Amino acid sequence: MHGSNIDNTSTSHDGKFSLPSTTCTVSGVDSSSIGVVEPPRSHNVGFMYVTSLKEAMICADLIAKSSFCPRAFQNKPGDIVVALQHGQELGLKPMQALQNTAVINGKPTMWGDLALALCKSHPTVEYIKETKVKGKNKYICRVKRVGENEVKRSFSEDDAKRAKLWGKPGPWTEYPQRMLPARARGFALRDGCADILCGFITREEAIDYVKIDNGKTEWSTGVSIELISNNQASYLIKLMNETHDPEDTFKSFREYYAVGTVNELPTTKFAQAEKILLAKKQQNQQGALVSEEIEANKIVVVNTAQENVNC
């Protein structure tokens, strides 16, 4: 897995992943046989020293079976190898790559927070400024690099409406005031820091590039995926809001189905999602009934004690 070096805390001089010498068995293979090398003492290396595709797959197999592995990559060692390679090209540590890589219809993308972090930390970036236009629901992002002109991009409520994003179930409905500056930022970073992002597009932007036609979602690659309807998405969001912790439920939903918004859920997963959310809702209702019963018992006990005193 060769590419541009990631930082000294996670790579050797030639940019390969490394791991302190150890021995363990994965799928019948002894990792002591894959060329684990003692790294230089000046480097705090914490990952496998991979020198071949076979070794990379053994490493990926370890991660895929770990409970620490992001849900979207669990039991998918092949996807992990590709994600780590993409991450290395961006200068990321292995687990950073897994946590911040999202695959949209087979195309790797990165979360918007990562794109901002990579550009902010780059030595050639002088500043990244984000502002809201006074009196308008419009945001502007300015990016300035050393020796280059400032790049200025904006995104407004009117832009979102033209793109049929405004009011769309999910983030565009739940927190649109975060989505507007995020889209302006995405355009500015892609245009001003294309070399830093290695051509990657942000996940939040990629997922919105769809064309709806007779209930089908046409992605830029031409592959059709049938997603749930807006009514179905709104229904699932309603169920989430009726659970004990809606925010935690939505987070678990995104991780479990590897989606960014509710309306990205394939129709084949709707029945399962509904069943899970109804069960969570029922648990919440049962918990509320138990609390009411406890309070009622407290009242009975207090009243009984008062009656005994009066007697």
Side-chain angles (χ1 to χ4, degrees):
M1 295 170 62
H2 296 278
S4 59
N5 291 352
I6 55 180
D7 66 21
N8 290 343
T9 61
S10 58
T11 59
S12 62
H13 291 291
D14 57 3
K16 299 176 181 177
F17 299 130
S18 307
L19 178 72
S21 181
T22 185
T23 301
C24 60
T25 302
V26 181
S27 301
V29 180
D30 186 354
S31 66
S32 63
S33 65
I34 66 172
V36 178
V37 178
E38 185 69 26
R41 292 186 179 275
S42 60
H43 292 262
N44 181 22
V45 183
F47 211 70
M48 280 189 173
Y49 189 91
V50 177
T51 59
S52 69
L53 179 60
K54 179 180 178 180
E55 294 171 6
M57 288 303 297
I58 294 174
C59 165
D61 193 39
L62 271 172
I63 299 173
K65 294 177 180 179
S66 169
S67 59
F68 286 93
C69 179
R71 193 181 298 274
F73 289 102
Q74 288 180 358
N75 299 314
K76 297 178 181 178
D79 288 0
I80 290 175
V81 170
V82 176
L84 294 182
Q85 179 61 41
H86 280 301
Q88 190 178 41
E89 292 170 2
L90 289 167
L92 300 175
K93 296 178 183 178
M95 295 312 295
Q96 284 179 322
L98 292 183
Q99 293 289 350
N100 291 283
T101 299
V103 179
I104 306 300
N105 198 40
K107 180 180 178 63
T109 64
M110 68 172 71
W111 288 95
D113 292 343
L114 173 62
L116 181 61
L118 288 174
C119 294
K120 275 190 171 183
S121 62
H122 201 275
T124 66
V125 176
E126 290 186 17
Y127 61 75
I128 299 175
K129 297 180 180 179
E130 297 178 309
T131 56
K132 183 178 186 298
V133 178
K134 187 176 181 179
K136 295 183 180 180
N137 203 8
K138 178 179 181 179
Y139 291 82
I140 297 174
C141 180
R142 295 178 171 84
V143 178
K144 176 70 172 66
R145 300 185 68 174
V146 177
E148 297 182 13
N149 294 329
E150 180 187 80
V151 173
K152 174 184 173 182
R153 299 292 181 267
S154 65
F155 203 77
S156 66
E157 180 180 336
D158 290 339
D159 293 327
K161 288 178 178 178
R162 279 194 296 271
K164 294 181 172 55
L165 298 174
W166 198 255
K168 179 180 177 181
W172 283 103
T173 298
E174 295 162 11
Y175 37 91
Q177 298 308 314
R178 282 191 60 85
M179 298 302 291
L180 291 176
R183 184 53 61 86
R185 180 194 310 145
F187 288 153
L189 295 182
R190 286 177 56 205
D191 293 344
C193 307
D195 57 320
I196 299 175
L197 301 180
C198 297
F200 273 63
I201 188 174
T202 63
R203 185 205 185 284
E204 294 86 347
E205 184 179 344
I207 200 63
D208 286 329
Y209 285 164
V210 297
K211 178 183 178 182
I212 305 300
D213 183 19
N214 296 325
K216 297 285 186 178
T217 298
E218 299 288 342
W219 301 93
S220 58
T221 56
V223 179
S224 296
I225 303 174
E226 188 173 359
L227 305 182
I228 61 176
S229 66
N230 288 344
N231 288 337
Q232 288 175 314
S234 297
Y235 170 62
L236 294 181
I237 292 174
K238 179 177 178 293
L239 292 180
M240 291 182 192
N241 290 332
E242 293 173 348
T243 61
H244 175 66
D245 189 341
E247 186 175 347
D248 183 66
T249 300
F250 178 61
K251 180 180 178 181
S252 299
F253 180 92
R254 288 177 53 186
E255 292 179 352
Y256 185 78
Y257 290 108
V259 297
T261 62
V262 177
N263 60 299
E264 295 168 21
L265 185 73
T267 55
T268 55
K269 300 292 185 181
F270 176 77
Q272 181 193 48
E274 179 186 28
K275 183 178 180 181
I276 293 174
L277 291 174
L278 284 173
K280 283 183 171 291
K281 176 183 175 181
Q282 185 176 9
Q283 289 175 357
N284 185 39
Q285 291 174 339
Q286 290 175 344
L289 289 174
V290 170
S291 297
E292 291 176 3
E293 185 176 349
I294 291 174
E295 291 300 321
N297 288 336
K298 286 181 180 178
I299 294 173
V300 170
V301 170
V302 170
N303 290 340
T304 302
Q306 187 63 43
E307 290 174 1
N308 291 335
V309 170
N310 293 334
C311 291

